[in-house]
Amino acid sequence: MGILTWIIFGLIAGAIAKAIHPGADPGDWIVTILIGIIGAVVGGWLGSMIFGVDVTGFNISSFLVAIGGAVICLAIYRMVAK
């Protein structure tokens, strides 16, 4: 799957990660969306390399992997930024 797809997934996943993991961020909503993009890319890579999840396009498993990666990256960002 291309990087452009993961960026689109990341935009959506960042917003969903913010809803799943609410709270005050050290940055603004743009930082949350950027973390979502990074989380989606990292989640996609981890999902395909470690867990063997086939991330082939816009499907539910790819979307869940992107959201999971975004939530993890958002939690790490909040721990580091405090």
Side-chain angles (χ1 to χ4, degrees):
M1 184 150 71
I3 190 75
L4 183 60
T5 305
W6 283 112
I7 290 173
I8 294 169
F9 268 151
L11 290 171
I12 299 166
I16 292 174
K18 176 74 172 171
I20 291 173
H21 197 275
D25 287 328
D28 56 358
W29 62 273
I30 294 174
V31 173
T32 304
I33 297 298
L34 290 174
I35 290 170
I37 293 170
I38 293 167
V41 172
V42 170
W45 179 76
L46 287 174
S48 63
M49 292 295 179
I50 295 174
F51 302 115
V53 176
D54 189 22
V55 284
T56 57
F58 282 94
N59 54 35
I60 192 70
S61 65
S62 299
F63 194 62
L64 292 175
V65 166
I67 292 171
V71 168
I72 290 169
C73 284
L74 183 60
I76 291 171
Y77 172 74
R78 288 180 178 173
M79 287 190 309
V80 170
K82 285 187 178 186

